[in-house]
Amino acid sequence: MSNAETPKYGTGAFPPPREFDQLSRYRIHGSGSEPTRYVGRRGQGRDADMAPVKVVVLLCASVLVVLAVGVALWAGEWLAAPASQAGAAERPHVGSLLQEGAEDRQIVSTPRTEWRQGVVPALFQTDSEWASQPYGGGTIATHGCGPTCLSMAYIALTGQTDLDPKGMAEFSELNGFIDGGVTSWLLMSEGAGLVGLDSVEVPASAQSVESHLLVGEPVICSVHKGDFTDEGHFILLVGTNGDGTVEIRDPNSEARTLEAWDLGRVISQCDNIWAFSA
C-alpha cells in the first residue's frame, strides 16, 4: 500500500484506536496526540446515570431508620409492660383508687399489710377473699354490710386483724345477731361490746356526729332507701373534711367510698347511728 493510501488517525475510514488507562475505560484520540474525549466508569456520564439510584438508596435508608426507631420504641414499651402489669395486680389502698378512678375492674379492699390501728381500711363485701362466705339469707357479698362495717371499725380501733369481714360475719351468726336473714341492730351495740368495743347511740344531728368523728371515733349508720340502697344498708363514717362533708366507707360501693358526702344529706337517710371507741 502506498503512502497516499495510508489513512491518518481521525481522517481515514478506519476508527481511531482505543487505549485503556486507569481513569477511564478508554479514550478516543483526535488528530493529535492529546485526548479529545473521555468515556468511562468514573466519568461525569456515569454520575448522571447513577443519580436516580442514589436517591432511591437514600430513601430506602431513611425508611429503614424510621422503622428501626419505631421498633425500638415499641420494644421499650413492651419490656416495661410486665412491671406496670405487676403493679396493677397489687391490691391498692383506697387512696390510690381515688387517683386511678377506675370503676371497670374488680373491687378490691385495702390490703391486709396496711391494716393498722388509727387507720380505717376500705373493705368491700364483694372482695373475693370473703364474698362467697354464707351469711344470713345469702352471702357476705349480698347480706354482709353490717359485719363488714363493724370489722372496719374494729381494725381501726384495736389494730387487730382477726375479725375481718368473714370472721365478723361468723361471729355475728354464732351469737344470733341475725334477724330475718339480715343483720340485727344488736350487732352494733351488744355485739360490739363482745368484741371489746364501746358503742353509743348518737342523735341524728350533724353536730353530734361530728363531735365523735373529730375525736377519732368511727360512726356506723343504718340507712334506708336513698343514695346508698334500695332497701336497707349499713355504712361507716370515718372523718370530716372541714367543709360540711364527711369521708365514708360504703362496703358495697367503691365509687361512693371515694366521694365526699354532705353530712346533712347522709343523716337525713339514717334510721339509727352508733359511735365506737376502744
Side-chain angles (χ1 to χ4, degrees):
M1 181 180 294
S2 66
N3 291 336
E5 295 175 346
T6 302
K8 300 292 185 181
Y9 292 161
T11 59
F14 299 104
R18 295 174 177 175
E19 298 177 0
F20 181 84
D21 66 13
Q22 296 299 319
L23 294 177
S24 63
R25 186 177 181 184
Y26 59 84
R27 61 183 177 182
I28 302 176
H29 290 274
S31 58
S33 60
E34 297 298 325
T36 59
R37 182 164 61 93
Y38 283 88
V39 179
R41 295 181 179 178
R42 301 183 185 180
Q44 295 180 354
R46 183 181 182 279
D47 289 340
D49 292 339
M50 292 295 292
V53 177
K54 291 180 178 179
V55 171
V56 172
V57 170
L58 289 175
L59 288 175
C60 291
S62 300
V63 171
L64 289 175
V65 169
V66 172
L67 289 175
V69 172
V71 170
L73 293 174
W74 174 84
E77 294 178 357
W78 181 78
L79 289 174
S84 61
Q85 291 172 358
E90 295 177 358
R91 299 163 61 84
H93 189 277
V94 66
S96 61
L97 297 179
L98 180 61
Q99 295 176 358
E100 294 171 7
E103 299 300 328
D104 57 348
R105 53 176 172 70
Q106 181 183 4
I107 292 178
V108 292
S109 302
T110 302
R112 287 180 179 271
T113 55
E114 297 181 24
W115 294 4
R116 62 183 182 275
Q117 189 173 17
V119 178
V120 182
L123 307 183
F124 299 101
Q125 299 166 235
T126 53
D127 191 306
S128 60
E129 186 173 348
W130 46 71
S132 61
Q133 172 73 19
Y135 178 73
T139 63
I140 291 178
T142 60
H143 289 67
C145 55
T148 302
C149 281
L150 189 56
S151 175
M152 288 188 276
Y154 173 81
I155 292 169
L157 291 170
T158 68
Q160 302 298 313
T161 62
D162 55 317
L163 292 176
D164 61 5
K166 179 180 178 180
M168 193 66 77
E170 292 173 344
F171 163 82
S172 178
E173 286 201 318
L174 181 63
N175 289 277
F177 297 119
I178 301 290
D179 184 7
V182 297
T183 302
S184 167
W185 283 1
L186 291 176
L187 177 65
M188 305 305 169
S189 53
E190 296 179 10
L194 290 176
V195 298
L197 302 180
D198 295 326
S199 170
V200 296
E201 290 193 12
V202 179
S205 73
Q207 182 177 2
S208 296
V209 172
E210 283 184 332
S211 67
H212 290 281
L213 293 176
L214 289 172
V215 295
E217 296 179 358
V219 173
I220 291 179
C221 302
S222 174
V223 296
H224 51 251
K225 183 177 180 179
D227 292 321
F228 306 99
T229 180
D230 290 332
E231 299 179 8
H233 191 41
F234 289 98
I235 62 172
L236 181 67
L237 312 185
V238 301
T240 63
N241 296 318
D243 59 357
T245 64
V246 291
E247 181 182 353
I248 76 166
R249 299 286 187 268
D250 185 337
N252 198 40
S253 174
E254 182 181 82
R256 290 192 291 269
T257 292
L258 298 177
E259 292 184 40
W261 287 87
D262 179 79
L263 179 55
R265 181 168 181 164
V266 173
I267 290 175
S268 70
Q269 301 174 59
C270 291
D271 291 327
N272 210 339
I273 306 173
W274 302 265
F276 299 86
S277 59

